Amino acid sequence: MAAKDTAPSLEILARGPEGCFVWNGPPFGNDEPSVKLERVPCSSAKFSEDGSRLLVMKSDFVISIYDCSSFKEIKSFQVPNVLAAVLSPCGTYLQTFQKSSTPQVKNLVLWKTESGESVYQQFQKNMTKTTWPSIRLSSDEAIACRMATNEIQFFDPKDFSKGIVHRIRVPGVAAVELSMVPGSHVAAFIPESKGVPASVQIFACGKEMQSQPVARRSFFRCDTVQLKWNRGSTGLLAVAQADVDKTNQSYYGESKLNYLTTNGSHEGLVPLRKEGPIHDVQWSCSGSEFAVVYGFMPASATLFDKKCHPLLELGSGPYNTVRWNPKGKFLCLAGFGNLPGDMAFWDYVDKKQIGTTKAEWSVTSEWSPDGCYFMTATTAPRLQVDNGIKIFHHNGSLYFKKMFDKLYEAQWKPESPDRFGDIAELIKSVDSLKVTETKSQGQGAVSKKPAPAQKPAAYRPPHAKAAAAVQAELFGGSSTEQMSKNALKNMKKREKQREKKAAEAATTAGGSR
């Protein structure tokens, strides 16, 4: 295919206190990434889903849009009191939410990125992580919908001036998730109310097919859900989460993994072999398999097909994260957050583990669009020290490392995996395992072999340090810690007290004779 002959280069966006910049991705020439976009002062930056546009929020409520083929600014918007902004999947529209005090001010605005024209305005009282973006578009921007009170509203993405073209009535709806490829269905979550159990319902997006849900799953003890569609829009994974675990097995509440299909062939729980929370779940790029990390530590990891039949057990370990390679061949199991950072790389096609490593203190992690590299980042404000980026090969060997004084985010520029060649051929062309470690910005680059990781010393309280010194003096050997002056003084005082008591006891014994 012609698209594969002109495979795009990988690119990385990073943002720190001084702003964002874009690097050329691996493989690097001269062991160092080159700069594609010079630093731009900003408070946030985000690519569109297809990687064609870059949104940059600057000071004074200015939002700039860049064309990612040249990284030239194509449009700038001045949006007073803007609180949030996001691009549509293909970069056609910019959606903004402004702080507003009166319903007369329409604070939710949809703009055309090319012309800067406002195509839709609506008043919205507030914005949460669940309800943002307010207007959802499918990956091809063929379907657009918005959750409103007790209903889901649909628009014509080619002409928003028509307003609401049709709607689905869903009493009590609290969250929606539009399927992305294609945008044929929408899932709605209705919380538990007045003894009626919570439910997830799936509706077809076609106007003539919206009267009844095509699939439905009800459950008690559910406060929130995570909804994950597969590629192809045939299956939906719903992680139902309760804030309180009534079985008292977990301080963090309880969670259950439900699976629904749009053809009604399956509506129920995914059969997991171990009790405990659902740590992470992700679909493969084909939409035919999904991976789950679940259970009390050490957590288990299992791959299922779209009929909920187990395909492969990945064992157990200190894991809470799964990342499926965009080409579908490799997976990474990892334990980030409050876990020590263990990573295990698997070849799904050959059904075997191909490498293990560690990436301590990682906050974010993701495969490159071509599926050959895995990037982890330690970022602020989650961690204020040891900020940096690590890039690994598909088998876990370290390829590149760069430290920053402060790093807020790092992300790959999105690209369609179909634009790259076969994964086996790509791997053959990337055979360098050289480690490049770079000092924080403002310092010179240093290339060296990684030193073996030193095991951190266990914490020892002050009294234990003094006891170690006493034992060393009484039984021989040397103390591992130098005694402080106060500890030495106290030790001599205790010795004198023991000698005095021993003398008094001897005197008492002599008098009794």
Side-chain angles (χ1 to χ4, degrees):
M1 292 176 61
K4 292 182 180 179
D5 295 336
T6 57
S9 61
L10 299 176
E11 289 161 359
I12 299 171
L13 169 72
R15 182 172 63 88
E18 294 82 24
C20 69
F21 54 91
V22 177
W23 285 338
N24 270 321
F28 301 132
N30 300 322
D31 301 326
E32 274 291 298
S34 58
V35 177
K36 199 77 178 284
L37 174 65
E38 295 291 345
R39 192 181 304 276
V40 178
C42 66
S43 59
S44 69
K46 186 71 175 177
F47 288 109
S48 61
E49 185 184 308
D50 67 350
S52 64
R53 298 284 187 268
L54 173 63
L55 178 153
V56 178
M57 293 188 69
K58 301 179 180 179
S59 58
D60 300 324
F61 307 114
V62 173
I63 301 173
S64 294
I65 308 298
Y66 289 79
D67 181 354
C68 291
S69 62
S70 60
F71 284 102
K72 301 293 184 183
E73 183 176 329
I74 58 174
K75 204 68 186 177
S76 182
F77 297 82
Q78 179 83 39
V79 187
N81 300 317
V82 63
L83 297 179
V86 67
L87 288 169
S88 62
C90 297
T92 307
Y93 299 104
L94 167 68
Q95 187 174 170
T96 60
F97 177 81
Q98 298 164 264
K99 185 177 180 180
S100 177
S101 57
T102 61
Q104 286 74 29
V105 178
K106 295 183 177 180
N107 57 337
L108 177 69
V109 184
L110 200 65
W111 314 79
K112 267 290 192 76
T113 56
E114 294 286 349
S115 64
E117 173 192 3
S118 170
V119 296
Y120 181 77
Q121 296 181 354
Q122 172 76 43
F123 171 74
Q124 185 164 308
K125 186 175 181 180
N126 51 38
M127 180 268 293
T128 65
K129 187 177 179 180
T130 304
T131 59
W132 182 255
S134 179
I135 300 174
R136 310 287 178 100
L137 288 98
S138 59
S139 294
D140 57 2
E141 297 188 356
I143 300 292
C145 69
R146 172 180 177 265
M147 182 186 74
T149 304
N150 296 326
E151 67 181 19
I152 304 172
Q153 302 169 347
F154 287 82
F155 304 87
D156 181 353
K158 293 182 176 59
D159 187 2
F160 278 91
S161 64
K162 294 179 180 178
I164 302 168
V165 293
H166 56 273
R167 61 189 83 204
I168 306 173
R169 179 156 178 80
V170 188
V173 61
V176 298
E177 191 68 33
L178 179 65
S179 63
M180 301 304 289
V181 186
S184 57
H185 294 81
V186 61
F189 169 63
I190 300 93
E192 186 176 342
S193 177
K194 298 179 181 179
V196 178
S199 66
V200 170
Q201 302 178 26
I202 298 177
F203 295 87
C205 290
K207 186 175 181 179
E208 68 284 349
M209 303 169 61
Q210 294 178 340
S211 57
Q212 295 296 325
V214 297
R216 177 190 177 108
R217 172 71 177 165
S218 299
F219 28 72
F220 284 101
R221 300 206 305 271
C222 175
D223 298 301
T224 59
V225 295
Q226 298 177 42
L227 302 172
K228 296 178 179 284
W229 281 102
N230 71 335
R231 185 179 181 88
S233 304
T234 59
L236 175 74
L237 291 168
V239 182
Q241 298 172 309
D243 297 334
V244 177
D245 183 1
K246 293 188 177 180
T247 64
N248 293 323
Q249 289 183 298
S250 174
Y251 174 79
Y252 300 100
E254 63 176 325
S255 54
K256 300 290 183 183
L257 180 60
N258 299 267
Y259 178 54
L260 300 84
T261 58
T262 53
N263 62 5
S265 61
H266 195 287
E267 294 175 12
L269 290 171
V270 176
L272 303 177
R273 301 187 307 123
K274 189 176 183 178
E275 290 291 326
I278 308 299
H279 301 289
D280 198 10
V281 58
Q282 188 179 30
W283 285 99
S284 71
C285 62
S286 68
S288 300
E289 310 91 7
F290 60 91
V292 190
V293 183
Y294 60 95
F296 297 111
M297 292 295 164
S300 296
T302 306
L303 305 186
F304 294 87
D305 64 15
K306 58 183 180 181
K307 294 183 179 179
C308 268
H309 298 148
L311 293 174
L312 180 64
E313 295 291 342
L314 303 181
S316 59
Y319 304 127
N320 60 4
T321 303
V322 59
R323 295 287 183 266
W324 206 310
N325 162 290
K327 290 287 189 176
K329 181 174 173 60
F330 303 116
L331 294 102
C332 177
L333 286 177
F336 298 141
N338 59 351
L339 295 178
D342 293 88
M343 297 195 299
F345 291 83
W346 284 76
D347 187 322
Y348 169 63
V349 177
D350 294 339
K351 306 291 190 291
K352 65 179 182 180
Q353 189 178 107
I354 56 176
T356 60
T357 187
K358 268 195 172 185
E360 297 91 343
W361 312 300
S362 296
V363 177
T364 62
S365 61
E366 196 55 71
W367 286 96
S368 60
D370 68 350
C372 292
Y373 302 94
F374 190 77
M375 180 171 67
T376 64
T378 302
T379 58
R382 175 71 179 270
L383 289 172
Q384 299 290 345
V385 296
D386 296 319
N387 284 191
I389 294 171
K390 293 180 181 178
I391 299 177
F392 299 85
H393 285 287
H394 68 281
N395 59 4
S397 59
L398 184 63
Y399 174 75
F400 175 80
K401 178 179 178 180
K402 185 175 181 69
M403 304 304 292
F404 292 81
D405 294 329
K406 191 78 70 178
L407 179 68
Y408 292 142
E409 67 176 312
Q411 56 179 295
W412 298 101
K413 183 172 83 72
E415 291 285 358
S416 170
D418 299 333
R419 297 188 64 188
F420 298 91
D422 181 75
I423 186 68
E425 296 299 323
L426 290 171
I427 291 167
K428 288 178 183 178
S429 66
V430 184
D431 55 358
S432 172
L433 301 181
K434 184 176 180 180
V435 177
T436 301
E437 184 170 348
T438 310
K439 291 183 178 180
S440 59
Q441 289 184 314
Q443 303 178 24
V446 178
S447 297
K448 62 181 181 179
K449 294 183 179 179
Q454 293 184 355
K455 186 176 180 181
Y459 170 74
R460 301 181 68 190
H463 72 271
K465 297 176 184 178
V470 172
Q471 287 181 354
E473 184 173 330
L474 294 177
F475 303 111
S478 60
S479 168
T480 56
E481 298 285 346
Q482 290 290 333
M483 294 184 65
S484 67
K485 291 182 179 180
N486 286 336
L488 187 60
K489 183 179 178 180
N490 291 335
M491 184 186 74
K492 290 180 178 179
K493 187 185 291 187
R494 286 193 295 270
E495 287 177 352
K496 288 181 179 179
Q497 289 176 347
R498 283 196 294 269
E499 290 172 359
K500 184 178 179 180
K501 287 181 181 179
E504 289 175 353
T507 304
T508 304
S512 63
R513 292 195 187 99

